[in-house]
Amino acid sequence: MTQMLADSNQFFSSDPYKKYNWSQSTWNKIIAGEVATGMNTTQVRLAWGDPSSISYETSSKGKIEVWVYGSSAGIRALGFLNGKLIVIY
């Protein structure tokens, strides 16, 4: 139990609203477990948690980081360019 309480992925050591000065619209999406293009990787992690896997693809725009979330119920993938979500698969 003590280890779980110390896990920064489970609990914040400071007020996240003060630490991250994001719009209320962004916070509403995070709280609802939603992601949208334009979000950064921290915002997506707060909304959806850690991905099952991360891979990299090269496109004409540059190196795209692909985060995969999924289980037998379905797989979702997100594409990031320079730390910003640009595509939801």
Side-chain angles (χ1 to χ4, degrees):
M1 177 75 163
T2 304
Q3 184 179 7
M4 185 181 88
L5 293 174
D7 185 352
S8 63
N9 290 322
Q10 302 292 324
F11 295 98
F12 290 101
S13 59
S14 62
D15 183 348
Y17 288 97
K18 291 179 182 175
K19 181 176 181 179
Y20 303 111
N21 190 24
W22 299 325
S23 69
Q24 190 58 51
S25 172
T26 298
W27 279 111
N28 290 344
K29 285 181 179 74
I30 291 168
I31 291 165
E34 298 172 359
V35 298
T37 55
M39 292 177 99
N40 65 39
T41 56
T42 302
Q43 293 164 341
V44 170
R45 278 190 200 276
L46 290 173
W48 279 16
D50 290 330
S52 305
S53 66
I54 298 175
S55 61
Y56 300 90
E57 297 178 6
T58 303
S59 77
S60 59
K61 295 181 181 183
K63 189 175 181 180
I64 296 181
E65 188 172 340
V66 179
W67 291 15
V68 177
Y69 292 84
S71 65
S72 58
I75 295 176
R76 303 286 312 256
L78 305 175
F80 294 88
L81 180 64
N82 298 321
K84 295 285 183 193
L85 181 58
I86 61 165
V87 65
I88 302 169
Y89 301 102

